[in-house]
Amino acid sequence: MSHFEIPKSQVAAVVERAGDHPVKSQEQLAHGECLVKLECSGACHTDFHAAVSVQMGWLPMIMLGDWPVPAKLPLIGGHEGVGIIETTPHGLHCLNCEHCKKGREQNCSQALCSGFTVDGTFQEYVVSYVNHVTPIPDGLPSDAAASILCAGVTVYRAIKYMIPGAGGGLGHLAIQYAPVRGLCVIAIDTGEEKKELCLGLGAEKWIDFMESKDIVQEVKDTTGGQGAHSAVVTAATAGGYQQAIEYLRSGSTLMCNGLPGKAELSASIFWTVFKSISIIGSYVGNRQDAAEAVDIAAKGLVKVHFVTKPLSDLENVYVGMQTGKIAGRVVLDMSKE
């Protein structure tokens, strides 16, 4: 914890308006809150889905707002922030309901979601909850750690709980976490840059869904005709989930990991039952998952492929997400304009 002077206002990307935004003082913090001076924040596809299309002065935001649950407005997006705690932490958070006691605090009915139900990390200072702050180990830079706190935790938990969109933010991390759990990877995505990234990170097979004439058959050919043991689908469209049912072998698992706004899971009931396929949804991760995911990254077993941009370039970042042009992640540097 540092002891810098805390300003009364800050620069923030606020949906519906822009400019200065107030900073909470020590006295204004509620029970269970602390104030973090952010060094950087990852830009996640979730933020792109969460809010609404608006025009904001210096920052014309293009955000879908297509989730069935509306975000609170006005809203500061972002949920992958790394920084320094600037105030004395206050008290505790829930952690006492059924979900929290079972290690699923991300499903708690009282959970407050950064960048969705409460203001997030696209600002210089953010209010966080003491029990949900993950310490970053020495030697792991803040910008490298930012995306681990959402994308990394999300795919790590999915892989961790499996019974036995590859080149994007979540997918490229899944490729690296999989070998830690003893798994071999077939990467499915599109684009030469993503191909080089996936193969360079250790994927044993690359399939370009825009060029492949038969994705299902390619997966089966790669796996000796039996199909994959499991599929972690991080795509924001329905096609990847539907194809997975076809290329998975009997007794396998489909782990749904993306959060498309309006796409529906359409699977053959006959083949799902006949092949004894388990379909599981995995939403982010808990505090233990976060600690494990960060520790693996700190040991050098997982590295985030990212580029750094200023907060003012957020519009172009979202355009890149919408067109599928971003390989890996984008991290927003709060010190750059």
Side-chain angles (χ1 to χ4, degrees):
M1 183 177 69
S2 65
H3 298 282
F4 298 110
E5 181 178 350
I6 299 172
K8 294 183 179 180
S9 64
Q10 61 177 321
V11 174
V14 189
V15 175
E16 288 197 327
R17 58 189 174 84
D20 287 342
H21 188 75
V23 178
K24 271 192 176 184
S25 66
Q26 171 83 38
E27 295 74 22
Q28 293 173 318
L29 293 174
H31 190 68
E33 293 181 343
C34 62
L35 187 69
V36 179
K37 185 181 188 328
L38 290 169
E39 297 178 353
C40 59
S41 174
C44 181
H45 212 280
T46 295
D47 302 305
F48 183 51
H49 282 281
V52 294
S53 297
V54 294
Q55 292 292 323
M56 299 189 348
W58 64 273
L59 186 61
M61 300 290 288
I62 304 174
M63 304 173 81
L64 298 181
D66 62 351
W67 274 0
V69 179
K72 74 107 178 170
L73 292 175
L75 174 71
I76 298 174
H79 56 275
E80 295 182 355
V82 178
I84 301 170
I85 294 178
E86 293 281 352
T87 63
T88 304
H90 285 207
L92 302 172
H93 194 41
C94 171
L95 303 181
N96 287 316
C97 68
E98 177 183 352
H99 288 301
C100 286
K101 288 178 178 178
K102 290 182 176 179
R104 296 197 309 268
E105 56 260 26
Q106 68 271 28
N107 298 121
C108 173
S109 61
Q110 300 179 45
L112 299 176
C113 300
S114 176
F116 189 69
T117 58
V118 294
D119 286 337
T121 56
F122 293 162
Q123 55 183 325
E124 296 175 280
Y125 290 83
V126 67
V127 174
S128 185
Y129 290 87
V130 177
N131 283 316
H132 293 274
V133 173
T134 302
I136 305 300
D138 293 338
L140 182 61
S142 295
D143 51 8
S147 296
I148 296 294
L149 297 176
C150 174
V153 174
T154 299
V155 296
Y156 173 71
R157 180 180 176 87
I159 292 169
K160 176 180 175 180
Y161 289 99
M162 282 192 317
I163 293 177
L170 276 70
H172 91 285
L173 292 171
I175 291 171
Q176 298 175 77
Y177 278 114
V180 176
R181 308 293 299 190
L183 303 171
C184 299
V185 177
I186 300 172
I188 304 174
D189 211 320
T190 187
E192 191 62 30
E193 185 178 1
K194 291 184 179 181
K195 175 182 179 180
E196 292 179 7
L197 175 61
C198 291
L199 294 177
L201 292 175
E204 296 195 9
K205 170 71 175 178
W206 162 264
I207 298 176
D208 191 314
F209 66 76
M210 292 295 289
E211 298 179 0
S212 176
K213 296 180 179 179
D214 192 335
I215 293 175
V216 173
Q217 191 59 50
E218 282 200 56
V219 172
K220 289 184 176 180
D221 290 344
T222 305
T223 56
Q226 295 296 310
H229 286 95
S230 57
V232 177
V233 182
T234 63
T237 56
Y241 300 86
Q242 187 171 347
Q243 287 174 329
I245 298 296
E246 300 179 42
Y247 63 63
L248 285 169
R249 70 176 64 195
S250 294
S252 59
T253 302
L254 167 58
M255 183 65 78
C256 303
N257 222 198
L259 283 173
K262 298 178 181 178
E264 295 184 358
L265 179 61
S266 178
S268 166
I269 296 175
F270 177 88
W271 288 112
T272 302
V273 173
F274 184 78
K275 294 167 68 176
S276 300
I277 292 175
S278 299
I279 301 177
I280 302 175
S282 181
Y283 175 57
V284 197
N286 59 29
R287 290 169 298 150
Q288 183 61 31
D289 298 327
E292 292 174 10
V294 168
D295 183 60
I296 291 170
K299 292 176 179 176
L301 299 175
V302 168
K303 294 183 179 180
V304 180
H305 178 86
F306 66 91
V307 294
T308 303
K309 296 181 180 295
L311 180 61
S312 57
D313 203 29
L314 190 54
E315 177 196 4
N316 292 329
V317 174
Y318 282 134
V319 171
M321 289 181 181
Q322 190 174 35
T323 56
K325 297 293 179 62
I326 296 177
R329 303 291 279 186
V330 173
V331 176
L332 304 171
D333 187 338
M334 296 307 166
S335 66
K336 293 182 178 181
E337 289 298 329

